[in-house]
Amino acid sequence: RPHRTELYQDIPPTCWPIVYSPDYNITFMGLEKLHPFDAGKWGKVIDFLKEEKLIVDDLIVQAQEATEEDLLVVHTRRYLNKLKWSFVVATITEIPPVLFLPNFLVQRKVLKPLRTQTGGTIMAGKLALDRGWAINVGGGFHHCSSDKGGGFCAYADITLTIKFLFERVQGVSKATIIDLDAHQGNGHERDFMDDNRVYIMDAYNRYIYPGDGFAKRAIKRKVELEWGTEDTEYLQKVQTHVEGTLNELKPDIIVYNAGTDILDGDPLGGLAISPQGIVKRDEIVFKAARSRRIPILMVTSGGYQKRTARIIADSIINLHNLGLIDKELATSGAENPKVEQMLRKCSRGLSNLSLQ
């Protein structure tokens, strides 16, 4: 019988299925700046969405931290114990000075944000089924598998989300991962290597990290891109292969790994997609999902330039303007005193569990 979890809560219908917590952001004596990743990008996305009056705090679903018991649904205890060594976390996050910090600080300042984002992805998986779509403003740690982290990914949030759904939600037996981060998603590929319930499409720069030949065997639809691939070719390939993926198998849920490291100038991605190309890419994926009435969960994954937060926000606004994410919920509702009390519950989360 599945363990008792705080991650599958009843969420009031007034909340947007957009999951976030201020705890996502990593700030620790400037050490986070030693990695090219913008460790505060998640909060910036939310700030841009607020500026555009798309959301207010009370309409956001507050992410909860994944507990050790939650993580053990996928991770081995041996792996979780390894994270109690600062040098292991320094290797995974690629921030060498973390090696010299006491582990209690590493847990609180580095791993807790990643556990909270992981909890957010798991919560968003259930929300996507309930509402037709959901966005976790963080997550997408696609280089982490059950027993190995890497590439800034310490927890396998994509694998966890799908395993939670298979275990806890009746009628969910097939999932499709559409991974459009610039890097190969070797973590979830290793986890689902022999699991026919999961169909993986992965489009990535063939020449960069991780180059995991073993994991590639799990990819059902592989799109290997050349250095400097630009919008026209990229979007045509995304359109063709997303449609092909969903025509081949209609899943019960799509997990969409929407990395922005495909952006032109990204120091790690090696592709040359414009901001408008990224917005169009997300639109293609959501249109394909919504036209087939397949629930879709989007996670934000990689992106190593300061301007990626603005692009993610612009993409979410575009999805809203096109009606691909529900229009019924307006921010004006937050100003209505009759619903204020209900709205506050979004941020607090509810204690009663819909599923045990």
Side-chain angles (χ1 to χ4, degrees), residues 35 91-94 143 149-153 209 304:
H35 191 281
T91 305
I92 290 169
T93 59
E94 300 167 352
H143 298 307
F152 203 74
C153 303
Y209 176 90
Y304 305 93

Side-chain angles (χ1 to χ4, degrees), residues 185-227:
N186 61 321
H188 58 74
E189 288 158 10
R190 282 175 171 265
D191 286 334
F192 291 120
M193 179 66 68
D194 300 311
D195 194 332
N196 291 325
R197 298 173 298 174
V198 181
Y199 185 109
I200 298 172
M201 172 196 159
D202 198 350
Y204 53 88
N205 182 338
R206 67 197 303 168
Y207 302 108
I208 60 173
Y209 176 90
D212 189 335
F214 175 75
K216 285 180 187 179
R217 288 159 45 186
I219 305 171
K220 300 282 199 304
R221 191 172 280 257
K222 183 166 55 180
V223 187
E224 295 196 317
L225 302 167
E226 300 296 322
W227 287 109

Side-chain angles (χ1 to χ4, degrees), residues 7-233:
L7 299 178
Y8 271 22
Q9 303 171 347
D10 283 330
I11 303 295
T14 40
C15 299
W16 282 87
I18 293 177
V19 183
Y20 170 72
S21 165
D23 289 343
Y24 282 13
N25 302 291
I26 299 171
T27 52
F28 187 42
M29 293 163 34
L31 287 179
E32 70 281 357
K33 293 177 182 151
L34 297 174
H35 191 281
F37 198 87
D38 178 5
K41 86 170 180 182
W42 309 286
K44 291 173 190 166
V45 172
I46 292 294
D47 288 342
F48 287 133
L49 293 177
K50 286 185 196 167
E51 281 174 21
E52 298 292 333
K53 308 247 183 303
L54 184 71
I55 55 170
V56 294
D57 280 332
D58 287 340
L59 291 173
I60 300 166
V61 176
Q62 186 80 19
Q64 306 290 320
E65 181 183 355
T67 65
E68 184 171 18
E69 218 178 346
D70 294 326
L71 296 169
L72 284 167
V73 168
V74 164
H75 289 294
T76 62
R77 198 172 288 281
R78 185 176 73 96
Y79 173 69
L80 295 180
N81 285 338
K82 275 189 187 173
L83 297 178
K84 292 171 183 169
W85 295 90
S86 295
F87 77 89
V88 172
V89 181
T91 305
I92 290 169
T93 59
E94 300 167 352
I95 307 173
V98 166
L99 166 66
F100 303 107
L101 300 175
N103 192 258
F104 77 91
L105 277 179
V106 173
Q107 292 291 331
R108 196 164 74 223
K109 293 292 193 175
V110 180
L111 291 178
K112 183 180 179 181
L114 301 181
R115 283 193 297 269
T116 307
Q117 291 191 43
T118 297
T121 305
I122 296 167
M123 292 170 74
K126 174 67 166 53
L127 268 171
L129 283 182
D130 293 342
R131 309 287 184 85
W133 67 276
I135 296 169
N136 181 17
V137 173
F141 304 131
H142 65 158
H143 298 307
C144 188
S145 61
S146 63
D147 62 352
K148 191 169 193 281
F152 203 74
C153 303
Y155 302 107
D157 66 320
I158 291 173
T159 309
L160 278 158
T161 298
I162 292 170
K163 289 273 178 83
F164 260 69
L165 291 170
F166 285 168
E167 279 186 7
R168 292 167 183 273
V169 182
Q170 201 169 4
V172 177
S173 60
K174 298 189 299 291
T176 290
I177 299 168
I178 296 176
D179 195 333
L180 302 185
D181 186 274
H183 300 80
Q184 176 202 350
N186 61 321
H188 58 74
E189 288 158 10
R190 282 175 171 265
D191 286 334
F192 291 120
M193 179 66 68
D194 300 311
D195 194 332
N196 291 325
R197 298 173 298 174
V198 181
Y199 185 109
I200 298 172
M201 172 196 159
D202 198 350
Y204 53 88
N205 182 338
R206 67 197 303 168
Y207 302 108
I208 60 173
Y209 176 90
D212 189 335
F214 175 75
K216 285 180 187 179
R217 288 159 45 186
I219 305 171
K220 300 282 199 304
R221 191 172 280 257
K222 183 166 55 180
V223 187
E224 295 196 317
L225 302 167
E226 300 296 322
W227 287 109
T229 298
E230 296 180 354
D231 286 20
T232 304
E233 180 190 348

Side-chain angles (χ1 to χ4, degrees), residues 114 262 322 326:
L114 301 181
I262 63 170
L322 293 172
D326 300 337

